Amino acid sequence: AEGPLAFFSGVVACWAALLIATHLAIRPHLFSFALAALFTSLLWSARREEAGLSWGKIAALILMQVLWANVHGGFVTGILLGLIFAASDLVRRGGRPARSTLLPVALAAAGLVNPYGWRLYELVARFGDPFFREAIVEWEPPFESRFMATPQFWLYIIWLAVAIVAAWRSLRSRREAAP
């Protein structure tokens, strides 16, 4: 990209960096972002393969689940992703069970490999209490009144508008370029 497009790209990149700056420090939730992406990538690649979910991928998912349970409470997302994959695989196979059928159970069991054992699940359930949802600012929705009063909220809104316009323009140019 050259000229105005390069400048615009630079401005957008700076805005993005400013918006995520508070999340760039080493924080446990970053592990959840990365592991959710890895889980999704592995499951998606298994979905495209004729043989389905291989034993190697199941082992990798289980090992990642053990790691996840020991670094962040978002590890339950791995179980949910496994459940969604197993359910879709079951539907795709016309109700015939496959290796993926037991994946959510294996992932839930892998989550027990932590210093707290089964009590980790109890702790995760406790965080659903409204007290925690109100006390932990990071869990608030972006349009909560406390966040709306900050300058970062308006940067977020501008960034969101820019992203929507960019996506729209990209889709439009692809449609025009299609034969």
Side-chain angles (χ1 to χ4, degrees), residues 21-34:
T22 59
H23 294 283
L24 292 179
I26 300 297
R27 298 178 77 176
H29 71 276
L30 295 178
F31 288 106
S32 283
F33 293 161

Side-chain angles (χ1 to χ4, degrees), residues 33-131:
F33 293 161
L35 288 166
L38 283 171
F39 259 63
T40 303
S41 178
L42 273 176
L43 292 171
W44 189 257
S45 71
R47 175 90 169 136
R48 291 185 308 225
E49 295 170 6
E50 187 65 33
L53 192 60
S54 69
W55 289 113
K57 286 185 179 168
I58 290 173
L61 289 165
I62 289 171
L63 289 173
M64 286 192 297
Q65 184 68 11
V66 170
L67 172 67
W68 203 346
N70 283 279
V71 295
H72 192 253
F75 76 96
V76 293
T77 304
I79 300 167
L80 180 62
L81 289 170
L83 182 65
I84 291 167
F85 179 83
S88 71
D89 200 33
L90 199 60
V91 168
R92 187 172 60 110
R93 294 176 178 276
R96 293 186 326 268
R99 279 178 240 157
S100 63
T101 307
L102 293 177
L103 182 63
V105 175
L107 294 173
L112 295 171
V113 182
N114 69 77
Y116 306 103
W118 65 269
R119 290 189 309 270
L120 185 61
Y121 286 99
E122 182 182 307
L123 180 63
V124 169
R126 278 195 203 153
F127 278 117
D129 185 291
F131 168 77

